Amino acid sequence: MATREEVAAFMAEAFPESRLVIESCGNRSSTVSLEVSPTDLRPGGTVSGPALMGVADAALYAAVLGEIGIVPLAVTTNLSINFLRRPEAGRRIIGVCKLMKVGRTLAVGEVSLYSEGVSEPVAHVVGTYAIPPGASR
Amino acid sequence: MATREEVAAFMAEAFPESRLVIESCGNRSSTVSLEVSPTDLRPGGTVSGPALMGVADAALYAAVLGEIGIVPLAVTTNLSINFLRRPEAGRRIIGVCKLMKVGRTLAVGEVSLYSEGVSEPVAHVVGTYAIPPGASR
Amino acid sequence: MATREEVAAFMAEAFPESRLVIESCGNRSSTVSLEVSPTDLRPGGTVSGPALMGVADAALYAAVLGEIGIVPLAVTTNLSINFLRRPEAGRRIIGVCKLMKVGRTLAVGEVSLYSEGVSEPVAHVVGTYAIPPGASR
Amino acid sequence: MATREEVAAFMAEAFPESRLVIESCGNRSSTVSLEVSPTDLRPGGTVSGPALMGVADAALYAAVLGEIGIVPLAVTTNLSINFLRRPEAGRRIIGVCKLMKVGRTLAVGEVSLYSEGVSEPVAHVVGTYAIPPGASR
């Protein structure tokens, strides 16, 4: 297991350019936020699909690391996203992840993505992480 | 909108051979159960993938019909399933569906599948239904 | 590696009730067919989603076994299906699988599903198999 | 229908910051390339997941626009990606898209993503676009 501080420090070092914030992790879950920047926007004032996917991927990674400890070699193998509503350009994106399984070699989780302050999700993601053999628990 | 009784009656007429039971539907959700039969089993005493997918598909359909009313032409366009744990042969499969979006032309929902009486899900499904234009609401 | 005959014999023993036929496998691919029976049909004379998924799952399994040899413990972890066109009730379903990756712990493949004799696919599946550690190659 | 030049001009105007190049489109297919920049990289010298997804999404969009003409309101509804191999940092990413269905309201396609000059794909994507009612064809 790893604390929010350990996960945040590891991810800040691995992805120094990232603007993602690990708000919480632990107990098979995590919350990640993204302050939307101009490069994340799309015409019409919405947030790009890849920006949403980046939030979801980070939330899954944070939840997995919170559970299995800092394992740099864990990699996403599958990510499936459904776009549900237009995100609002002026609001942070919040990703709320729950892991459904943390097995010996695979972890599976879902992430609901929100425009901060809006109750209905803008997108929903299911993703799988491969855990390298011998990763500490 | 349609009640549980209306949805169950419609599905019983459309799929007369089905052993699926619509336990509840309404409020953008549904619960469906399947008494496992020998034809649903796999070697080692587990429940087949297609049987699980059938429960999830029915749960999505029931939740959609509960929301938009009896619309025979609604069709599944996409179904994605993650198998999480081995279902137990001797327990009913319970599918619990929540719709994440009911739009004008698409509905998207998720289904958690359980072996009855076991708290961790055996599989998780996300599916999309296409709603024909002009369907009553 | 395993030949078509070995894969077909293994699957016939594991799934004695199955009506699926392993037409070919090898070279990271397979072809599987299903003679459609009344229990596979849906109102309006089409083939059920779970029946299509069963063909795809068997095609993936046959292609994986053809590549890694007879490994009973290989299990599907993820299956995603897009339904593209209505299958015709009176035609066999043909599943054509190509593996995109056969790694040490995961194999990923795609399956195009056809109504026999019709050129456009009725559905498309992507699936992942987990390969148990130490499986022979 | 729209030509490669029309699609490229439309996407350049809609996404002025994009470094993606529409290499070809038409005949229900497209090819898109991305010159990898430092912001697309991940530790260890690989290309980020969101960068790969961005190439796939653009390839699907270009193929759809090539088929139905310039329809600004077409939106991605679902995208599922399998990561197969590590992309190489020093090579362009090439996305090759084939549409499997172009219906009245939905288009479905697959994209194989490559590190330029390497024969095995680094990732595979299946995506769905919703086409607004009344879009010209």
Side-chain angles (χ1 to χ4, degrees):
Chain A
M1 307 222 309
T3 65
R4 188 201 71 81
E5 286 71 22
E6 289 166 338
V7 171
F10 169 73
M11 291 179 70
E13 192 176 342
F15 313 114
E17 313 248 326
S18 174
R19 288 171 290 107
L20 292 158
V21 176
I22 312 300
E23 303 283 351
S24 68
C25 76
N27 202 21
R28 293 191 160 203
S29 65
S30 76
T31 301
V32 167
S33 67
L34 175 72
E35 192 79 46
V36 174
S37 86
T39 60
D40 300 321
L41 294 182
R42 283 290 174 271
T46 187
V47 181
S48 78
L52 294 178
M53 292 185 251
V55 176
D57 196 28
L60 282 160
Y61 196 34
V64 169
L65 295 183
E67 203 62 27
I68 69 172
I70 303 298
V71 176
L73 296 177
V75 292
T76 317
T77 60
N78 176 267
L79 202 82
S80 178
I81 184 165
N82 278 280
F83 298 97
L84 303 171
R85 292 168 191 86
R86 278 169 69 93
E88 295 184 26
R91 293 173 184 268
R92 292 198 303 165
I93 297 294
I94 311 291
V96 179
C97 175
K98 289 178 192 170
L99 298 180
M100 295 183 282
K101 175 184 175 168
V102 183
R104 204 169 43 81
T105 59
L106 289 177
V108 182
E110 64 173 327
V111 184
S112 294
L113 293 160
Y114 299 90
S115 282
E116 190 171 29
V118 180
S119 63
E120 297 271 33
V122 297
H124 181 262
V125 170
V126 177
T128 302
Y129 262 76
I131 302 169
S136 63
R137 290 295 174 84
Chain B
M1 306 223 308
T3 64
R4 188 201 72 80
E5 286 70 23
E6 290 166 338
V7 171
F10 169 72
M11 292 179 69
E13 191 176 343
F15 313 114
E17 312 248 326
S18 174
R19 288 170 290 108
L20 291 158
V21 176
I22 312 300
E23 302 283 351
S24 69
C25 76
N27 202 20
R28 293 191 161 205
S29 66
S30 75
T31 302
V32 167
S33 68
L34 175 71
E35 192 79 46
V36 174
S37 85
T39 61
D40 300 320
L41 295 182
R42 283 291 174 271
T46 188
V47 181
S48 79
L52 294 178
M53 292 185 251
V55 177
D57 196 28
L60 282 160
Y61 196 35
V64 168
L65 295 183
E67 203 62 27
I68 68 172
I70 303 298
V71 176
L73 295 177
V75 292
T76 317
T77 60
N78 175 268
L79 203 82
S80 179
I81 185 165
N82 277 279
F83 298 97
L84 302 171
R85 293 169 190 86
R86 278 170 69 93
E88 294 183 28
R91 293 173 184 268
R92 292 198 305 164
I93 297 293
I94 310 292
V96 178
C97 175
K98 289 178 191 171
L99 299 180
M100 295 183 281
K101 175 184 175 168
V102 183
R104 202 170 44 80
T105 58
L106 288 177
V108 182
E110 65 174 326
V111 185
S112 294
L113 293 160
Y114 298 90
S115 281
E116 190 171 29
V118 179
S119 62
E120 297 270 32
V122 297
H124 181 262
V125 170
V126 177
T128 301
Y129 261 75
I131 302 170
S136 63
R137 292 292 176 84
Chain C
M1 306 222 310
T3 65
R4 188 201 71 81
E5 286 71 21
E6 290 166 337
V7 170
F10 168 72
M11 290 179 70
E13 193 177 340
F15 313 113
E17 311 249 326
S18 174
R19 287 169 291 110
L20 292 158
V21 176
I22 312 298
E23 303 283 350
S24 69
C25 75
N27 202 21
R28 292 193 160 202
S29 65
S30 75
T31 301
V32 167
S33 67
L34 174 72
E35 193 78 47
V36 174
S37 86
T39 61
D40 300 321
L41 295 181
R42 282 291 173 269
T46 188
V47 181
S48 78
L52 295 177
M53 293 184 250
V55 177
D57 195 29
L60 282 161
Y61 196 35
V64 168
L65 296 183
E67 203 62 28
I68 68 171
I70 303 297
V71 175
L73 295 177
V75 292
T76 317
T77 60
N78 175 268
L79 203 82
S80 178
I81 184 164
N82 277 279
F83 298 96
L84 303 171
R85 293 168 190 84
R86 277 170 69 94
E88 295 184 25
R91 294 172 183 269
R92 290 198 305 164
I93 297 292
I94 311 292
V96 179
C97 175
K98 290 178 191 172
L99 299 180
M100 295 183 281
K101 174 183 176 169
V102 183
R104 201 169 45 80
T105 58
L106 289 176
V108 182
E110 64 173 326
V111 184
S112 294
L113 293 161
Y114 299 90
S115 281
E116 190 171 30
V118 179
S119 62
E120 298 270 33
V122 297
H124 180 263
V125 171
V126 177
T128 302
Y129 261 76
I131 302 169
S136 62
R137 290 292 175 85
Chain D
M1 303 221 312
T3 65
R4 187 201 71 81
E5 286 71 21
E6 291 165 338
V7 171
F10 169 72
M11 290 179 70
E13 192 177 342
F15 313 114
E17 312 250 325
S18 174
R19 287 170 291 110
L20 292 158
V21 176
I22 312 299
E23 304 282 351
S24 69
C25 75
N27 202 20
R28 292 192 161 203
S29 64
S30 75
T31 301
V32 168
S33 68
L34 175 71
E35 193 79 45
V36 175
S37 86
T39 60
D40 299 322
L41 294 182
R42 282 290 173 271
T46 188
V47 181
S48 79
L52 295 177
M53 293 184 250
V55 177
D57 195 30
L60 282 161
Y61 196 35
V64 169
L65 295 182
E67 203 63 27
I68 68 171
I70 304 298
V71 176
L73 295 177
V75 292
T76 318
T77 59
N78 175 267
L79 203 82
S80 178
I81 184 164
N82 278 278
F83 298 97
L84 302 171
R85 293 168 190 84
R86 277 170 69 93
E88 295 184 25
R91 293 172 184 270
R92 290 200 304 165
I93 297 293
I94 310 292
V96 179
C97 174
K98 290 178 192 170
L99 298 180
M100 295 183 281
K101 175 182 176 169
V102 183
R104 202 170 44 81
T105 58
L106 289 177
V108 183
E110 64 172 328
V111 185
S112 295
L113 293 160
Y114 299 90
S115 281
E116 190 170 31
V118 179
S119 63
E120 297 270 34
V122 298
H124 181 264
V125 170
V126 177
T128 301
Y129 262 75
I131 301 169
S136 62
R137 288 296 172 84

